[in-house]
Amino acid sequence: MLEHFKGDEVFVKKILDYQFQALHHQRMVLTPFYNPHEQEIVRSVIGKELKVLSYGGFTNAENQRMIICPDFYEIEKSDFEIQLVEVIYRQQFGRIQHKDILGALMNLGIKRECVGDIFDGERCFFACTKQTYPYIIQTLKQIKKSKIKLQECHEDIEIIHDYTSRSFILSSMRLDKVVSTMFKVPRTLASEAIRNGHVKVNYKIVEEVSYLCHNSDMVSFKHHGRVKIVDENKQTRQGNYVVSGYFYK
């Protein structure tokens, strides 16, 4: 099976262990937060022998915890052990964004897999594991220059992604060309970032500069943001591709 998941062998072995526990010990296994790529691997590895459910605390959450269990288990949302948290602050020192909240949480020494989606609309929220929440609320008192207050949220919050779109002409769909053009950085810098593991395609690190991107691929560039590629099915007279980039705010 591992040959089908090149680059994800360690993760697949972990999921196979979860499968063994659920299947042979009739246990319910609760995972950390997984991104969409990891969720896809879980469903592929587990197959149809067991029940696989996921939930991220928000409606339309990208990062979700997963439960792997025998069919006879009746699962409720509370079984995912997720805490939604609202970040309350005064905006006199500026607006707090997704990156600010994530950075503050990571600076506490919290693993990324313990934190789910972060929403930075008119109000700010994040999801975390129930086990991590007590530590966060005791230690996180400030983000950037703003003193903050954290409180539990029991509302049904829907994540709606805000983005801006721009058109691009690409001579190639190679990853280094896509990153260089869409994020406006030199080709050499784009290539170096890719080789250093700072670029993901569909939530998976890709270190091959010649990797070919496709329609609807999500490209993430560390410290620069992420963009969804939309092929407009048009070409210039020179044979270049006309694409749109949807940049998530």
Side-chain angles (χ1 to χ4, degrees):
M1 175 176 288
L2 295 182
E3 64 270 15
H4 299 298
F5 299 99
K6 186 178 179 181
D8 295 302
E9 292 88 352
V10 173
F11 184 75
V12 171
K13 287 181 179 179
K14 181 189 296 184
I15 304 308
L16 288 171
D17 180 57
Y18 289 162
Q19 181 188 51
F20 182 86
Q21 293 178 43
L23 196 59
H24 296 280
H25 297 291
Q26 299 292 285
R27 287 185 54 195
M28 181 187 82
V29 179
L30 174 63
T31 75
F33 284 99
Y34 287 155
N35 65 40
H37 171 67
E38 292 166 330
Q39 294 169 38
E40 184 180 355
I41 292 176
V42 172
R43 292 190 174 91
S44 298
V45 171
I46 298 301
K48 298 181 179 179
E49 291 182 294
L50 296 163
K51 184 186 292 186
V52 180
L53 301 171
S54 61
Y55 178 59
F58 298 100
T59 301
N60 297 329
E62 288 187 353
N63 297 282
Q64 301 187 11
R65 301 191 80 177
M66 307 185 80
I67 287 178
I68 304 165
C69 62
D71 284 337
F72 62 80
Y73 274 84
E74 294 294 330
I75 303 300
E76 299 180 354
K77 284 185 177 180
S78 60
D79 294 320
F80 289 91
E81 299 182 11
I82 294 173
Q83 180 63 60
L84 280 190
V85 184
E86 182 172 7
V87 181
I88 300 172
Y89 70 102
R90 294 180 180 178
Q91 295 195 13
Q92 63 201 61
F93 293 110
R95 182 175 169 227
I96 290 177
Q97 299 178 300
H98 178 288
K99 63 180 181 180
D100 303 319
I101 298 173
L102 180 59
L105 291 168
M106 297 301 99
N107 285 337
L108 296 179
I110 296 171
K111 292 182 179 179
R112 183 63 181 91
E113 64 184 17
C114 294
V115 179
D117 281 19
I118 298 171
F119 181 61
D120 62 355
E122 292 184 4
R123 298 161 66 193
C124 293
F125 303 89
F126 66 87
C128 65
T129 63
K130 286 274 190 182
Q131 295 83 355
T132 309
Y133 177 65
Y135 173 68
I136 293 174
I137 199 169
Q138 287 175 10
T139 55
L140 187 58
K141 306 296 182 182
Q142 182 174 321
I143 297 178
K144 293 176 67 176
K145 295 181 179 180
S146 300
K147 290 185 178 180
I148 63 161
K149 177 183 177 183
L150 302 179
Q151 67 179 27
E152 296 182 14
C153 174
H154 302 285
E155 302 175 43
D156 184 11
I157 306 296
E158 180 180 4
I159 292 183
I160 300 174
H161 293 290
D162 191 13
Y163 58 83
T164 58
S165 63
R166 296 200 294 272
S167 294
F168 297 90
I169 295 176
L170 296 171
S171 59
S172 167
M173 294 295 282
R174 280 172 52 120
L175 184 57
D176 58 344
K177 182 64 176 177
V178 169
V179 171
S180 173
T181 301
M182 292 191 162
F183 292 100
K184 297 181 180 179
V185 298
R187 189 84 170 263
T188 52
L189 192 154
S191 298
E192 182 181 358
I194 293 166
R195 293 191 184 99
N196 289 335
H198 295 162
V199 175
K200 295 181 180 179
V201 179
N202 299 326
Y203 305 93
K204 180 181 179 180
I205 293 175
V206 176
E207 297 180 348
E208 302 171 26
V209 296
S210 60
Y211 177 90
L212 292 179
C213 297
H214 298 88
N215 185 38
S216 297
D217 277 354
M218 180 79 75
V219 178
S220 304
F221 185 10
K222 190 174 182 180
H223 301 312
H224 288 75
R226 58 179 180 161
V227 60
K228 183 175 182 179
I229 302 170
V230 177
D231 188 349
E232 300 295 348
N233 293 316
K234 296 178 183 177
Q235 286 187 312
T236 65
R237 291 180 179 178
Q238 291 76 28
N240 295 327
Y241 301 94
V242 179
V243 302
S244 292
Y246 288 78
F247 291 83
Y248 288 74
K249 294 183 178 180

